[in-house]
Amino acid sequence: MEQQKDKAGWIDGKAPQGYKQRFVIALLPCGLLMFIYWFFGPLDLIYGNWTDLGIRMRDALPTFLCAFLLFTLAPAALAALFRGKGFKAAVSLVFALAIVSYVQGSFLNGSMQLLNGADFDVAANQSRFLGNSLLCAVIFLAAFLLAWPLKEKGLPVVCGVCAALILMQSAALTSDFINDAREDKKNIAFSTADTDELSANQNVVVFLLDAFSNRAMQETLEKYPDTLADFHDFTYYTNCGPDYYGTFPAMIHILTGEDYDPAGTWQEFIQKAWDSPRATDFFQTLKEQNYDVQLYAAQPSYYALSAAQLAGKVDNAVPTHKKAAPLPLLKSMERLVLCRYLPLGLKQYVWCTPEDFADISHVVDEQGEAVETWNQYGGFVFLRDYLQVAGLRATQEKNCFKLYHFQGAHPGYFLTADGKWNNDGVERAEQCRGYLHIVETYMQQMRELGVYDDATIIILADHGYNDTDWAKDAMSTIVLVKEAGESHESVLRSAKRVSQSQFIPTVVNAVDPARTAAFGDTYASLPEDAFAQGRRIWMLDEDKNHAPCLKGYDYGDTWELSTEPDSYDHLERMNGSFYAGVH
């Protein structure tokens, strides 16, 4: 009996007998799956997470292009080894995996911000995980059955779907490359070359503990009652209202004193803030008093957009870019891609935090020389590699102003109470105690160097944290201040209303008291009845068109936020953070 051969090359409904024919048929389904996981996925996430990763798409393109081609050809060649139903099953399986991954990553992740370091609460989301798993199973089965009848009619459908999805994602990537003007801008980094050096004369040392609210301090004191024992020379201002919710723009406001202007873009606000008369006078005062100004932060883009903006103000801000390391980049980005495309119930097994991306690149300056920079968990690294090794050194002839940005009370929680790392995680109170332990260690070494008594030390936070409500103790931030020469047996407490606006006057009072009045009240000099009419906090929100913006809310000590902001305007959200591209 003569065998019937259809247009697709199938004989009597069976898979093609030729290996080359089977290889060609397997290329598109394998290509779609690998395009999602090894090309579009990682490059799109690199684009969306520019602030955190800092890698240029064009630098990562060769790495992922090679990976995509290799991982497409290899599975297609493997699938072509099978015949008959085995080949159909292999191709159908690959096609179904590609479709369910695409749908999950594009439509089913919802608003879960999986990669911001927060705990992945499996128990609280169990029902949602179950529903998502069932939906993914249905999509997988439907795609598998669509691909199974790979004959004259079925094959064009499968190939058409694969080609269409590849083209759609290619168009999106092309748009990323065209619109990514950031790739042509130099990044900014804070060099840590002098991070362990202090002045033998005068020092102003600031510890910025991220998201450290008064509620977090209460939790810490309940679990570790002796937490503030070594801070006996400080005054703890327990009623500090943050002016901004979020590291951006809180840090810009703290360091420049400039208020947010809703009339312009966020780029204009940053430029205006650093060029403002108040910021210029503040840093000029530091320079006139022979201060070397050093900032240490893992995300300098939250502070400024370029090193040029900080020229003449911050001494360790350098123009840089990140040079990708191919193998670590492949390894780490695939974890991020898996977190994006796997069903919700499986994401916990490929969980990753910003720390997992520490090795994907190294920072180089304009001459291509490596630059040491502050790590996301810089406090832990600083304790391990500096304080516990050689310790602090009082070697600077200039006076020193240093600001260290620690993880503080911000998730994820991995630092133990004694400053060690626990990959299994810890409670927030323990991490808070751990970062305060680092500050204690730093201050003890200052005492041993003989520079503690004359130093002004400020411990504060950029913002509180919205745990479950907008309660005062959850959103208000810690402020502890030891002025030069201040000494008492136990920590003093003040409940008067203060804000982040007293930071600059307090620093000026430490370096040039004659200039203090020109900048306003310090934490100590602020009248007890200040802010009697309430305070204001600016928060990222959405306008009536669902566009990201900053809105201002008035509040009192009860934190009953006003529902109607009196002014706001469109604010382009800073591209960056590991939230981007996960939805």
Side-chain angles (χ1 to χ4, degrees):
M1 182 180 297
E2 184 179 356
Q3 293 179 318
Q4 297 297 316
K5 187 175 182 180
D6 62 27
K7 293 180 181 179
W10 295 70
I11 300 174
D12 291 339
K14 296 180 180 180
Q17 300 301 306
Y19 177 85
K20 290 183 179 179
Q21 289 177 299
R22 295 195 298 274
F23 176 74
V24 171
I25 290 173
L27 272 179
L28 268 176
C30 290
L32 175 60
L33 182 64
M34 298 307 163
F35 193 84
I36 290 172
Y37 281 92
W38 288 104
F39 195 75
F40 172 81
L43 288 175
D44 187 54
L45 286 168
I46 285 172
Y47 170 80
N49 294 287
W50 162 261
T51 299
D52 293 285
L53 298 176
I55 300 172
R56 295 177 293 191
M57 290 178 69
R58 61 174 176 262
D59 291 340
L61 179 63
T63 296
F64 289 106
L65 180 59
C66 291
F68 162 60
L69 294 175
L70 175 63
F71 290 114
T72 296
L73 296 174
L78 181 62
L81 293 175
F82 295 93
R83 295 170 178 268
K85 291 183 178 180
F87 177 70
K88 289 202 293 184
V91 173
S92 300
L93 176 63
V94 170
F95 178 74
L97 287 174
I99 295 301
V100 76
S101 298
Y102 175 81
V103 173
Q104 177 68 50
S106 301
F107 307 108
L108 303 183
N109 280 331
S111 60
M112 295 190 71
Q113 296 174 341
L114 301 176
L115 306 179
N116 65 343
D119 291 336
F120 192 78
D121 195 342
V122 178
N125 292 281
Q126 196 62 53
S127 60
R128 186 180 179 188
F129 291 170
L130 179 60
N132 178 257
S133 298
L134 291 174
L135 181 57
C136 287
V138 171
I139 295 172
F140 177 88
L141 182 61
F144 187 91
L145 294 177
L146 174 66
W148 181 258
L150 286 174
K151 296 184 180 180
E152 184 174 355
K153 295 181 178 179
L155 185 60
V157 173
V158 171
C159 292
V161 170
C162 292
L165 292 180
I166 291 174
L167 288 174
M168 287 170 57
Q169 293 177 101
S170 297
L173 274 185
T174 301
S175 176
D176 287 350
F177 273 100
I178 293 174
N179 295 323
D180 194 5
R182 297 164 304 180
E183 291 190 339
D184 296 322
K185 295 181 180 178
K186 288 185 173 63
N187 206 343
I188 174 178
F190 295 133
S191 169
T192 59
D194 301 324
T195 185
D196 56 342
E197 293 186 10
L198 287 170
S199 170
N201 301 308
Q202 299 292 322
N203 295 283
V204 175
V205 182
V206 182
F207 297 98
L208 193 288
L209 305 183
D210 206 300
F212 211 124
S213 66
N214 282 304
R215 176 175 294 182
M217 179 65 84
Q218 292 168 13
E219 293 173 359
T220 307
L221 289 171
E222 289 171 3
K223 188 170 184 178
Y224 306 97
D226 65 340
T227 293
L228 296 180
D230 200 41
F231 297 85
H232 51 81
D233 295 327
F234 286 76
T235 299
Y236 177 16
Y237 295 92
T238 61
N239 192 0
C240 177
D243 296 305
Y244 297 89
Y245 179 64
T247 305
F248 170 83
M251 289 312 306
I252 294 172
H253 171 70
I254 290 171
L255 287 171
T256 69
E258 187 69 14
D259 291 322
Y260 169 68
D261 182 1
T265 66
W266 60 267
Q267 295 101 324
E268 292 170 342
F269 164 62
I270 295 175
Q271 187 67 59
K272 180 181 177 181
W274 284 106
D275 291 342
S276 67
R278 186 175 178 83
T280 301
D281 290 347
F282 171 52
F283 286 97
Q284 184 176 343
T285 300
L286 288 170
K287 295 302 180 183
E288 288 174 352
Q289 298 303 314
N290 199 33
Y291 272 81
D292 185 58
V293 178
Q294 305 272 337
L295 306 181
Y296 305 105
Q299 295 174 319
S301 57
Y302 286 172
Y303 287 69
L305 295 178
S306 68
Q309 287 181 323
L310 304 182
K313 298 181 174 71
V314 178
D315 295 291
N316 66 327
V318 293
T320 63
H321 68 270
K322 289 186 177 179
K323 204 169 185 179
L327 290 180
L329 180 65
L330 286 171
K331 180 180 177 181
S332 296
M333 285 307 301
E334 269 314 294
R335 289 191 64 193
L336 190 61
V337 170
L338 287 170
C339 247
R340 181 181 191 179
Y341 289 110
L342 288 183
L344 298 183
L346 297 179
K347 293 185 191 294
Q348 57 184 304
Y349 301 111
V350 290
W351 172 259
C352 50
T353 68
E355 177 67 10
D356 296 308
F357 300 87
D359 298 327
I360 66 173
S361 62
H362 56 277
V363 178
V364 297
D365 59 21
E366 293 179 303
Q367 288 72 44
E369 299 294 329
V371 178
E372 294 183 7
T373 60
W374 198 248
N375 183 274
Q376 172 75 14
Y377 300 98
F380 161 72
V381 176
F382 184 53
L383 174 69
R384 181 193 65 191
D385 296 348
Y386 291 92
L387 299 182
Q388 293 179 343
V389 181
L392 295 176
R393 298 174 292 158
T395 58
Q396 293 273 22
E397 293 184 4
K398 282 188 172 184
N399 298 325
C400 285
F401 172 93
K402 290 181 176 287
L403 185 150
Y404 299 90
H405 192 149
F406 290 169
Q407 186 80 353
H410 195 292
Y413 308 126
F414 298 105
L415 196 72
T416 64
D418 57 353
K420 294 184 173 58
W421 195 261
N422 185 343
N423 282 323
D424 296 327
V426 299
E427 293 181 353
R428 179 170 70 175
E430 182 170 3
Q431 173 159 299
C432 291
R433 183 67 184 94
Y435 278 107
L436 289 171
H437 168 74
I438 297 173
V439 177
E440 286 176 344
T441 305
Y442 192 104
M443 293 193 303
Q444 181 56 39
Q445 294 190 10
M446 290 182 72
R447 293 187 183 100
E448 294 169 359
L449 291 171
V451 298
Y452 171 83
D453 291 338
D454 292 334
T456 293
I457 304 174
I458 303 174
I459 304 167
L460 76 162
D462 47 353
H463 57 85
Y465 213 80
N466 177 20
D467 293 344
T468 56
D469 53 56
W470 295 101
K472 170 186 165 185
D473 60 351
M475 285 298 297
S476 63
T477 60
I478 61 167
V479 175
L480 293 95
V481 180
K482 184 199 84 70
E483 297 183 352
E486 185 175 0
S487 176
H488 22 84
E489 293 183 358
S490 60
V491 63
L492 302 181
R493 292 174 182 265
S494 172
K496 66 180 177 181
R497 297 181 177 189
V498 299
S499 78
Q500 294 166 336
S501 298
Q502 281 73 65
F503 173 78
I504 287 180
T506 301
V507 173
V508 172
N509 190 60
V511 304
D512 188 0
R515 294 274 294 143
T516 305
F519 289 88
D521 287 302
T522 67
Y523 292 113
S525 68
L526 193 71
E528 293 289 337
D529 60 352
F531 299 107
Q533 304 303 316
R535 289 167 286 189
R536 162 155 294 202
I537 184 171
W538 290 89
M539 295 182 290
L540 272 176
D541 210 326
E542 291 184 345
D543 64 20
K544 60 185 178 182
N545 297 317
H546 304 292
C549 69
L550 280 185
K551 290 183 181 179
Y553 295 87
D554 295 320
Y555 67 91
D557 275 354
T558 58
W559 275 90
E560 295 177 354
L561 300 181
S562 64
T563 57
E564 293 296 330
D566 65 358
S567 66
Y568 62 85
D569 198 73
H570 175 73
L571 177 76
E572 181 180 346
R573 188 186 299 274
M574 290 190 74
N575 234 332
S577 96
F578 282 92
Y579 309 162
V582 175
H583 308 305

